[in-house]
Amino acid sequence: MEVERDEAFQRRTWGAQRAGRILLVLLLLAALLGLFGPGIFNGATLGAGNGGALRVAYPRTWRRHSAFTVRVRLGPEATRAGTARLRLGQDYLDAVVVESVHPQPTGMELGPDGVVYTFAVAAPGQPGTVTLELKPQRAGRLAGEIGLEGQPPLRWHQFIFP
Amino acid sequence: MDAVTRAAAVYVFLLLLFRLSGQRSLAQITTFDFVLLLIIAETTQQALLGEDFSLTNSFLLISTLFALNLGFSLWKQRSRRVERVLEGLPIVLVENGRPVREHMKNCLVDEADILQAAREMHGLQRMDQVRFAVLECSGGISIIPVPSASGEKGDG
């Protein structure tokens, strides 16, 4: 019977298929653990040590055109004045669309370095959390920046998969 | 990512995954493979369109897919090596009545699959009536029956 045979090629193909299948399973496991988005190893927190004025929880990696949540915890000093003013860095704002800010800010002001959101505080001197839903518009490394007005901001990096 | 890049990425990704799962997956008629094909069609739609539902986007995507298909076909024609890598080679599963176990194992084909093909193609009843069985690049199994002395098929 005339059939094209090439044992060596066939063996290489089968070897490559086996390796490919193992790689696929490993990638899926990594995805489950949070490599590409939601997962137990994906969350990160910043600012836990600086006296508690500001703490940010964000996902290390996420995907383009998919919204993620950033939780900003404002400590007692931040709310003492009766209002809290939070600044979001311009580079960060350029790369994402702010889908929602919770609670609703009472004011949004344009600044040289980003936008300043003003929040009314029900109990001055008590901590509170601001939740932001952000949707990245491009893939790649994002430079996140959030800070209380007049204070050094917290900075971090996130990787957005296409 | 722009339409052309997306379409190319999805096309190559699917090609890669189909090659990874082996030739058989192209012609399988089990329930899961059917379900898989249905669901994949739905998932790729979203991956291709993204958030852009304009006519321009879909025309660009369709054109890119046609161009890639044409490009790969032409490339396969000119290079035997590329054709082998993209399509694979036919694999002999039964040679002169004897099953080649190693090949069967690697191709994820068992005797029941060969017997099914033998029944469907030639009405054969037993493995000893099969002279050659080949897993084609298309994923189907072709059977060459043992020629019977009286010229009748299937009865021994």
Side-chain angles (χ1 to χ4, degrees), chain B residues 103-140:
Chain B
H103 289 189
M104 284 170 63
K105 199 160 88 88
N106 276 307
C107 294
L108 306 174
V109 168
D110 56 21
E111 282 201 26
D113 295 328
I114 299 179
L115 287 171
Q116 179 185 349
R119 283 192 301 268
E120 285 176 347
M121 294 187 107
H122 298 286
L124 301 178
Q125 297 154 336
R126 299 180 309 275
M127 190 58 105
D128 60 22
Q129 293 168 317
V130 173
R131 185 167 173 215
F132 285 108
V134 177
L135 174 63
E136 304 293 352
C137 301
S138 62

Side-chain angles (χ1 to χ4, degrees), chain B:
Chain B
M1 246 207 281
D2 129 82
V4 175
T5 333
R6 278 183 160 215
V10 173
Y11 186 89
V12 170
F13 183 67
L14 282 173
L15 203 65
L16 199 70
L17 279 184
F18 269 110
R19 283 301 277 133
L20 266 188
S21 22
Q23 283 149 303
R24 198 79 183 109
S25 59
L26 294 173
Q28 287 269 38
I29 33 180
T30 65
T31 324
F32 341 99
D33 298 286
F34 184 62
V35 168
L36 185 73
L37 243 52
L38 283 178
I39 297 184
I40 289 183
E42 288 306 303
T43 357
T44 48
Q45 179 217 301
Q46 210 48 57
L48 288 170
L49 290 177
E51 294 186 325
D52 185 348
F53 302 118
S54 62
L55 274 180
T56 311
N57 194 32
S58 62
F59 288 169
L60 279 175
L61 291 167
I62 294 170
S63 310
T64 309
L65 293 169
F66 266 103
L68 280 169
N69 215 34
L70 195 63
F72 274 115
S73 300
L74 287 172
W75 197 17
K76 269 190 324 195
Q77 252 198 339
R78 295 167 126 223
S79 164
R80 228 106 182 61
R81 212 164 158 260
V82 168
E83 181 173 16
R84 279 203 297 178
V85 169
L86 290 177
E87 298 269 309
L89 282 175
I91 299 167
V92 178
L93 299 171
V94 173
E95 182 135 34
N96 286 316
R98 254 191 299 276
V100 183
R101 299 279 168 205
E102 197 202 344
H103 289 189
M104 284 170 63
K105 199 160 88 88
N106 276 307
C107 294
L108 306 174
V109 168
D110 56 21
E111 282 201 26
D113 295 328
I114 299 179
L115 287 171
Q116 179 185 349
R119 283 192 301 268
E120 285 176 347
M121 294 187 107
H122 298 286
L124 301 178
Q125 297 154 336
R126 299 180 309 275
M127 190 58 105
D128 60 22
Q129 293 168 317
V130 173
R131 185 167 173 215
F132 285 108
V134 177
L135 174 63
E136 304 293 352
C137 301
S138 62
I141 298 178
S142 48
I143 306 283
I144 297 170
V146 172
S148 62
S150 60
E152 275 172 24
K153 277 195 296 189
D155 246 0

Side-chain angles (χ1 to χ4, degrees), chain A residues 5-17:
Chain A
R5 301 177 208 235
D6 187 341
E7 280 292 326
F9 171 80
Q10 212 50 68
R11 264 175 226 295
R12 274 202 307 272
T13 308
W14 284 328
Q17 279 180 346

